[in-house]
Amino acid sequence: LSAGLMALAVLTRPDALIAAGLLFADMGLRPLLARDGALLGSRLRRLPWVEATIFGAMLAPWIIFATAYFGSPLPQSVQAKVQAYQLGQFDALIRLVQHLSVPFFEDKVFGRYWPAVGFLLYLILYLVGGLRQVRRLGRSLPHVLYPLVYVAVFSVANPLIFRWYMAPLLPFYFLGILVGLHGIVSDVARKVDRERAGEWATWLVIALMLLSSLNAYTLAPDHGLGRPAPEMAWYKLELLYRQAAELVKPRLQPGDVVAAGDIGAVGWFTGAPILDTLGLISPEAVPYYPLDPSLLVITYAISPDLIRDLQPAYIITLEVYVREGLVPAAWFPEQYRLLSKLDTDIYGSDDMLV
């Protein structure tokens, strides 16, 4: 069952290979290292050939098809992001540490300097909790190691970290923190002969953590639907792209291609063929990156050569994506004219340009 679910997870997102690797390493090493099946609570006394066969058999059809049809079983977006985004050597690690330092949004309560305290505090709680889990149930070792390995892999790969990249590791991270908290408080309570008080203290702290998490919500968002929502459910950018798409749509002729750096809303609301200037769905864009750093204002810019060579009928972009590259290009004003500027300062832009 675990092998089958891991295969489905890998089909959903390739970074699930981290979890699958830990699971299979555990299943493979357990029978080799166990003495009388006792190591780490071992119940597996054979190498996991059956599990590996199930895992491979479920992945094989996609790997064969995707390689034949697309040229690779990995999503186009993986290669595109590696090429197009330009980051400092430790940017991914810094972002991950920032997120893991405020798992319950405590910075909203304790201020901007809380992450310096939170990182060390939660790391200690997690390690204590992880150790307790493994001692209690040895088979929990893979999921205790998972957040640590996840952070290590993404730090080495160094992609641009978006908040939703945190989703896979957070349940295990929360569990480790809470088990560690419960263990430390319970141990102290037993030493002072106040075990019941320790249980109450544990639940009080957990309740405060959950209440702190509510700081991530806003009761009245300043855009979009007027109902309570997480602050990170922010989509002003998509609303702008929708506005730009609806401006362009009546002008479109059959076969007109629309280029955009962020494609979802543009593709949905125009229904036009899309040139994804980042390359997520347009493989032809990938060879144009990485750009000369002098063309970048932030971590990404649209390649001027890509636009010149492929000649999309329309371009919808944040100004910051084209400030140093496309807009100053001598040929650009000869071939394109400005239809509209939509007011915004998102990512430091001076409007959205159509």
Side-chain angles (χ1 to χ4, degrees), residues 37-261:
L39 179 70
L40 298 177
S42 177
R43 289 172 53 190
L44 195 66
R45 303 192 184 191
R46 57 172 176 77
L47 291 174
W49 298 115
V50 174
E51 290 82 358
T53 301
I54 293 170
F55 183 78
M58 292 181 68
L59 288 179
W62 169 254
I63 292 174
I64 294 169
F65 165 75
T67 302
Y69 191 82
F70 298 110
S72 171
L74 289 176
Q76 167 69 21
S77 58
V78 174
Q79 182 184 2
K81 289 177 180 179
V82 168
Q83 292 288 97
Y85 292 135
Q86 295 192 30
L87 303 164
Q89 185 177 0
F90 300 107
D91 281 6
L93 176 60
I94 292 168
R95 289 283 287 168
L96 287 165
V97 168
Q98 288 172 338
H99 288 315
L100 293 173
S101 299
V102 289
F104 306 104
F105 295 88
E106 304 86 336
D107 55 314
K108 304 284 188 180
V109 178
F110 299 114
R112 58 185 295 188
Y113 297 109
W114 170 258
V117 177
F119 175 68
L120 185 60
L121 172 65
Y122 291 123
L123 179 61
I124 292 171
L125 287 175
Y126 185 81
L127 293 175
V128 170
L131 186 60
R132 291 179 75 93
Q133 290 177 75
V134 173
R135 285 176 173 173
R136 180 73 63 88
L137 184 66
R139 284 173 290 140
S140 63
L141 182 62
H143 78 64
V144 169
L145 291 176
Y146 175 63
L148 303 175
V149 176
Y150 190 96
V151 168
V153 170
F154 273 79
S155 297
V156 171
N158 199 33
L160 181 61
I161 298 293
F162 296 97
R163 190 97 193 195
W164 51 89
Y165 286 14
M166 304 298 294
L169 65 81
L170 284 179
F172 306 99
Y173 186 56
F174 291 156
L175 181 62
I177 289 171
L178 297 180
V179 171
L181 171 68
H182 180 267
I184 290 173
V185 174
S186 298
D187 288 348
V188 171
R190 274 194 292 271
K191 286 185 178 180
V192 298
D193 200 24
R194 292 288 187 273
E195 193 164 341
R196 188 169 181 80
E199 286 293 321
W200 280 104
T202 299
W203 285 110
L204 176 61
V205 175
I206 291 173
L208 291 174
M209 287 176 171
L210 295 176
L211 286 172
S212 178
S213 296
L214 295 178
N215 283 298
Y217 271 74
T218 179
L219 292 176
D222 63 357
H223 66 287
L225 300 174
R227 61 185 182 221
E231 286 185 5
M232 71 164 291
W234 175 93
Y235 59 106
K236 286 184 179 180
L237 181 57
E238 284 69 27
L239 293 175
L240 270 173
Y241 275 122
R242 176 177 183 171
Q243 189 178 341
E246 290 175 342
L247 188 151
V248 165
K249 187 173 182 178
R251 302 170 176 267
L252 291 172
Q253 300 298 315
D256 278 355
V257 173
V258 179

Side-chain angles (χ1 to χ4, degrees), residues 244 247-248 315-317 337-342 352-354:
L247 188 151
V248 165
I315 306 166
I316 300 175
T317 178
R337 64 186 177 88
L338 186 66
L339 293 179
S340 182
K341 294 174 71 173
L342 306 179
M352 177 175 282
L353 309 179
V354 183

